[in-house]
Amino acid sequence: MNYFKTLLVVILLSTASKVTAQVTLPNFFSDHMVLQRNHKNPIWGNADKNEKITVSINGQEHTTKANKNGYWKVILNSMKAGGPYNLLVKGKNTVEIKDILIGEVWLCSGQSNMGWKVAGTTFADLEIASAKYPKIRFLKVPLVGNLEKQDNFDASWEVCSPETVGTFSANGYFFGRKLHQTLGVPIGLINVAWGASAIETWIPRDAMDASGEYTEMLAQWDEKMANYTQSTFDKETKAYKAWEKGGKKGKKLNPARDHRIGQNTPANGFNGLVNPIVGYGIKGAIWCQGETNLGRAYQYRTLFPLLINSWRKLWNQGDFPFYWVQVAGLKEKTLEIGKGNMWAEMREAQSMTLSLPNTGEAIVYDLSESNNIHFKDKQTSANRLVLHALNNDYGVKLKAKSPSYQSMKVEGNKITITFKDVAQSLYAFDENTVKGFMISGKDQKFVWAKANIVGKNKVVVFADEISKPIAVRFAWANNPYANLYDKANLPVTAFRTDNWPTITLHNKKANR
């Protein structure tokens, strides 16, 4: 769909109420939807100016008037898990929304490893055939960005079944299924993930402008978009087709992307996919993104917290839970020191974001596949993710955090690393020796290290070549060869004890 066709759809959706002069609601207030339990859920829509609107559900009734622009909103009383219920919205006409459940609603966002479909995972046929969970509901948001904030999109809720689950987010579905099986309540999952999207597309433009930290990146995009027209897009499309037809010779070209509605332009994803549902009652959000920003991993240290804080501010639900799957890895397991550490720098940036309240991360570098950026074992990544939600938000006492670096002590030619959040004790998976540690002296030249587990939560690290070590790194690679876990089978978080300059430190412009 080109830009102008998309724009026409958006205009028709946003102006439908004005044309028909009837009570309308955004499309995501639809049959089969899930409303957040124990929460005062807002319901909103459009009608004629000053039109009286009555909203009723499950024995409660609320009345309001549309404002001068025709906008109206009511706040429902909180409800316990249950249903199904019907919602009646009465004005000059009546809108009935059927089969509404009250349960737990989670937003599932990020790029392709969140959007990756159930049909593309391990044991996909079995997962699809067994997906008979009518109390799990899906909302798949269309992948259409916009340069301006939108208030609607063309999508409605679906009931989880073998017919619908295959095209839904695997991380989202497996996360929601575990919640449903454990809590016994309805689950609503909203999928707003977009493959190859940059994090800045998900952040409101005014939030990035106000921070003052992204001037170069935003100026780069502003210059690009000031001269980007339909003719530009058509020219890029023509050039790519000619390159393909000519046998793909010469400089590699990528398929043309219409940046006016694409997933890399700053705020585009937020405007088109997120802004319409801002305020819809949710429990929290899960996230899986970072690959597109690898070249600017250091900048991610501030972009990621900005995204979380800006969403929390707009939703006005306090510091709602926000959990993410850390980036996995790609290419062969690294056996050379200092090779390809953009992935490690991204993992570090994500771990640093744990400084925000009500956050958690699932470590998954051990699930990575050397030739596939979309690792297929989404069941394990979702299991590690849902541990945080169950433990932190639902009172199910489970070990959720991976072990992580706490402190170091240098003794002669050895460094003792102490870890926190260790379940029972550490162990080396699959081998008798611990793999993944490197060590350095003051010259900042790392070598592979030997490592011995001593006690519950300590590892002694050393190398014959380094007589005076001062720094240790663990799993610091594109696709690390590391095998240290705790007895809850959670991999130890990648870390470094030094703060030496990173290779992405000065990268501030968009890398796409």
Side-chain angles (χ1 to χ4, degrees), residues 212-225:
E213 294 188 37
Y214 313 107
T215 304
E216 289 185 59
M217 178 188 69
L218 295 174
Q220 175 191 9
W221 274 104
D222 288 344
E223 180 181 0
K224 183 181 185 70
M225 298 310 298

Side-chain angles (χ1 to χ4, degrees), residues 343-360:
W343 290 79
E345 291 178 22
M346 176 58 71
R347 295 184 193 105
E348 179 181 56
Q350 292 176 321
S351 292
M352 291 173 71
T353 306
L354 291 170
S355 62
L356 295 184
N358 298 330
T359 54

Side-chain angles (χ1 to χ4, degrees), residues 8 86 387 435:
L8 178 60
N86 290 354
L387 288 172
K435 303 293 185 181

Side-chain angles (χ1 to χ4, degrees), residues 56-317:
S56 59
I57 183 175
N58 187 26
Q60 57 178 287
E61 183 174 285
H62 304 268
T63 301
T64 189
K65 280 188 178 182
N67 66 16
K68 63 180 180 180
N69 297 316
Y71 176 81
W72 59 266
K73 181 171 75 172
V74 301
I75 307 296
L76 302 180
N77 300 330
S78 63
M79 293 178 277
K80 295 181 180 180
Y85 304 113
N86 290 354
L87 179 79
L88 286 179
V89 181
K90 295 182 179 180
K92 295 177 182 177
N93 62 297
T94 299
V95 177
E96 184 176 17
I97 302 173
K98 302 177 181 179
D99 188 32
I100 298 170
L101 298 179
I102 314 300
E104 295 296 298
V105 180
W106 285 82
L107 191 66
C108 314
S109 191
Q111 61 180 106
S112 56
N113 268 316
M114 179 59 75
W116 198 251
K117 301 172 182 179
V118 172
T121 62
T122 53
F123 301 106
D125 290 345
L126 176 61
E127 296 291 6
I128 291 171
S130 62
K132 299 176 182 180
Y133 295 97
K135 290 187 178 181
I136 298 178
R137 307 292 174 83
F138 304 140
L139 177 63
K140 293 180 283 190
V141 180
L143 304 182
V144 182
N146 204 288
L147 299 176
E148 303 294 335
K149 292 180 180 178
Q150 303 300 301
D151 58 15
N152 202 358
F153 47 68
D154 187 15
S156 56
W157 289 83
E158 297 180 318
V159 177
C160 172
S161 70
E163 290 70 39
T164 61
V165 75
T167 58
F168 196 74
S169 160
N171 263 317
Y173 168 62
F174 296 137
F175 174 92
R177 183 176 66 183
K178 284 298 182 186
L179 287 180
H180 179 59
Q181 292 171 334
T182 306
L183 304 175
V185 302
I187 302 294
L189 302 167
I190 304 174
N191 183 19
V192 288
W194 197 344
S197 60
I199 191 172
E200 56 266 23
T201 200
W202 299 107
I203 304 174
R205 177 61 189 257
D206 56 359
M208 288 184 283
D209 286 333
S211 74
E213 294 188 37
Y214 313 107
T215 304
E216 289 185 59
M217 178 188 69
L218 295 174
Q220 175 191 9
W221 274 104
D222 288 344
E223 180 181 0
K224 183 181 185 70
M225 298 310 298
N227 302 303
Y228 198 91
T229 65
Q230 184 64 36
S231 176
T232 307
F233 176 65
D234 291 342
K235 184 178 179 180
E236 292 174 351
T237 301
K238 183 178 180 181
Y240 178 76
K241 289 182 178 179
W243 176 73
E244 271 194 320
K245 188 175 181 180
K248 300 183 178 180
K249 297 178 181 179
K251 181 180 178 181
K252 181 181 177 181
L253 297 180
N254 293 315
R257 293 180 178 177
D258 190 337
H259 295 295
R260 295 164 296 180
I261 58 173
Q263 73 272 52
N264 292 130
T265 308
N268 256 26
F270 174 81
N271 291 338
L273 284 72
V274 178
N275 190 69
I277 57 174
V278 166
Y280 189 97
I282 61 173
K283 180 64 175 184
I286 56 175
W287 175 262
C288 188
Q289 193 276 337
E291 293 88 346
T292 295
N293 289 82
L294 285 171
R296 292 178 285 128
Y298 189 87
Q299 189 185 60
Y300 206 89
R301 295 182 179 191
T302 55
L303 278 170
F304 195 22
L306 180 62
L307 177 140
I308 296 171
N309 287 330
S310 63
W311 284 17
R312 285 173 168 175
K313 181 179 179 180
L314 289 168
W315 248 271
N316 195 29
Q317 286 189 211

Side-chain angles (χ1 to χ4, degrees), residues 366-398:
D366 58 327
L367 306 181
S368 61
E369 301 175 26
S370 62
N371 60 354
N372 183 9
I373 199 170
H374 304 115
F375 63 95
K376 292 186 177 182
D377 185 5
K378 295 295 192 289
Q379 292 91 336
T380 299
S381 61
N383 283 347
R384 292 175 182 172
L385 197 60
V386 80
L387 288 172
H388 293 283
L390 289 171
N391 183 72
N392 301 342
D393 307 309
Y394 299 112
V396 181
K397 298 305 178 184
L398 298 166

